[in-house]
């Protein structure tokens, strides 16, 4: 699985303008089985999501994010293999 950290590169007003399309893209990722979770960083300087797939697959998918298409965020990708999970999160190890 891949942890993706987003860092906003533009004013929050531009992020807010793009957010509805970004949220639609995230929801489609859940429906497709690619996205496991997503959320904003606090303070709101970016976001993060956890995605299934190879590094290349997730990078290609993330490149279609409206934030990426508009150059509004930088992306950092970290591949992880879960080995210790809280009860109820066993599916993340698959």
């Amino acid at each position: 699985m891949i942890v993706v950290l987003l860092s906003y590169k533009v004013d929050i007003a531009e992020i807010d303008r793009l957010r509805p399309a970004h949220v639609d893209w995230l929801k489609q990722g859940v429906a497709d089985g690619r996205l496991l979770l997503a959320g904003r960083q606090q303070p709101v300087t970016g976001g993060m999501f956890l995605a299934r797939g190879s590094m290349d697959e997730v990078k290609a998918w993330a490149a279609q994010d409206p934030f990426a298409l508009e150059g509004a965020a930088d992306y950092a990708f970290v591949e992880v293999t879960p080995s210790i999970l809280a009860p109820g999160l066993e599916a993340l190890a698959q």
Side-chain angles (χ1 to χ4, degrees):
M1 99 181 33
I2 311 295
V3 176
V4 183
L5 297 175
L6 285 70
S7 298
Y8 299 147
K9 299 173 17 178
V10 298
D11 187 78
I12 195 70
E14 179 67 3
I15 295 298
D16 289 342
R17 181 185 75 78
L18 296 169
R19 189 175 315 283
H22 170 73
V23 169
D24 287 346
W25 174 80
L26 290 170
K27 288 179 179 178
Q28 186 61 53
V30 170
D32 294 342
R34 170 80 60 204
L35 181 66
L36 298 169
L37 66 89
R40 292 183 188 175
Q41 294 180 27
Q42 295 298 327
V44 183
T45 58
M48 71 79 58
F49 53 83
L50 187 60
R52 286 190 172 114
S54 70
M55 182 67 77
D56 289 342
E57 291 168 341
V58 172
K59 283 184 175 183
W61 175 69
Q64 300 306 306
D65 179 359
F67 287 169
L69 294 172
E70 296 289 330
D74 285 327
Y75 296 72
F77 299 86
V78 179
E79 187 167 4
V80 297
T81 302
S83 58
I84 299 173
L85 299 145
L89 298 178
E90 293 83 7
L92 293 178
Q94 299 173 1

